[in-house]
Amino acid sequence: VQLQASGGGLVLAGDSLRLSCVASGRTFSNYALGWFRQAPGKEREFVAAIKKSGNYKYYTDPVRGRFTISRDNARNTVYLQMNSLEPEDTAVYYCAATSSEAKLGFGLSYEYDYWGQGTQVTVSS
């Protein structure tokens, strides 16, 4: 699976952004999808994940209630709607795909088989 993330940018605190990640190469609906982020000088961290069916979603606590993950299997696309952005959300955001859903809620990066190239999100105060 090839993943192409887009939608990042420079915004002010309180603004919104929607990230998109388009997949190609394999059957999209066979994969659970996740978003991770990495801030300068920090480790990559889990943000959100969605099961193959789209019926179950998982979030890290700092973004719960502000971010929403969704998927459109017809468009081979996963989205991350980010509202009420904070400077602490500044990072490179990566989408990722995994064929295994067993541990999806744990946000384990090593469970993911495929990664996109990342898109920069910068939130200014």
Side-chain angles (χ1 to χ4, degrees):
V1 176
Q2 291 79 47
L3 301 170
Q4 182 74 36
S6 62
L10 171 62
V11 297
L12 295 175
D15 284 352
S16 299
L17 276 177
R18 188 176 79 157
L19 305 183
S20 301
C21 178
V22 180
S24 61
R26 297 281 180 100
T27 304
F28 184 72
S29 58
N30 288 345
Y31 293 88
L33 285 304
W35 286 96
F36 290 75
R37 66 186 181 185
Q38 188 166 18
K42 295 188 176 181
E43 304 236 335
R44 188 173 299 188
E45 65 172 353
F46 170 74
V47 177
I50 187 168
K51 283 199 169 183
K52 300 172 187 179
S53 66
N55 290 341
Y56 293 91
K57 305 174 184 182
Y58 306 92
Y59 299 94
T60 187
D61 284 344
V63 309
R64 194 185 311 277
R66 300 189 296 122
F67 291 12
T68 302
I69 189 170
S70 61
R71 65 189 295 162
D72 185 341
N73 286 348
R75 288 183 165 83
N76 289 357
T77 303
V78 59
Y79 303 99
L80 185 67
Q81 177 67 44
M82 305 186 295
N83 299 330
S84 302
L85 282 161
E86 303 169 352
E88 294 73 23
D89 296 318
T90 295
V92 178
Y93 283 71
Y94 298 89
C95 56
T98 176
S99 57
S100 173
E101 295 185 323
K103 300 179 182 178
L104 198 65
F106 293 97
L108 304 171
S109 62
Y110 59 77
E111 290 283 319
Y112 289 78
D113 308 301
Y114 304 98
W115 292 81
Q117 85 291 359
T119 184
Q120 176 71 47
V121 172
T122 303
V123 184
S124 173
S125 57

